[in-house]
Amino acid sequence: QVQLVESGGGLVQPGGSLRLSCAASGSIFSINAMGWSRQAPGKQRELVAAITRGGSTNYADSVKGRFAISRDNAKNTGYLQMNSLKPEDTAVYYCNAELRSASGILDHYWGRGTQVTVSS
């Protein structure tokens, strides 16, 4: 069974930094795109950043220049480096990945999320 597990969330002051990790485990053959989305209270989930297997990235306008997505294909792990954090970045952050399992099935998976709170 494939699982995505996020870690690295927490409470940080405005202007601070956090690094989120997303570890994929289970019977994985390969991982295509990976991404991070977030959902603030009372708001819809929004895509924050995404990265292809080859390393091409895209970002939401609200985080460009502050967040950086990366991945380690050998470790089946993705990262989101968040700098210059603002109170409006407060949300639950979810990792997602399109991957092919060892049985050959291509599917989309989500983690359970990690809370990021930016507050003084």
Side-chain angles (χ1 to χ4, degrees):
Q1 184 177 358
V2 174
Q3 282 188 320
L4 300 182
V5 178
E6 302 97 336
S7 61
L11 174 64
V12 63
Q13 292 187 341
S17 298
L18 283 175
R19 189 192 194 206
L20 305 183
S21 297
C22 172
S25 63
S27 301
I28 298 169
F29 177 74
S30 64
I31 300 177
N32 296 340
M34 298 185 76
W36 292 90
S37 298
R38 66 186 181 187
Q39 188 166 18
K43 295 187 177 182
Q44 289 188 332
R45 190 175 297 190
E46 62 170 347
L47 177 66
V48 173
I51 184 169
T52 66
R53 182 172 181 81
S56 296
T57 60
N58 66 79
Y59 298 92
D61 287 343
S62 59
V63 306
K64 281 182 181 176
R66 300 189 297 123
F67 290 11
I69 188 171
S70 60
R71 61 190 289 174
D72 185 332
N73 292 332
K75 296 182 179 179
N76 287 340
T77 300
Y79 306 96
L80 185 67
Q81 178 67 43
M82 305 186 294
N83 300 324
S84 302
L85 283 161
K86 305 175 181 180
E88 51 263 44
D89 294 318
T90 296
V92 178
Y93 283 70
Y94 298 91
C95 171
N96 63 89
E98 180 187 73
L99 63 86
R100 189 175 299 279
S101 65
S103 62
I105 298 172
L106 183 67
D107 208 342
H108 204 91
Y109 295 84
W110 289 86
R112 292 188 175 185
T114 185
Q115 176 70 45
V116 172
T117 302
V118 185
S119 174
S120 55

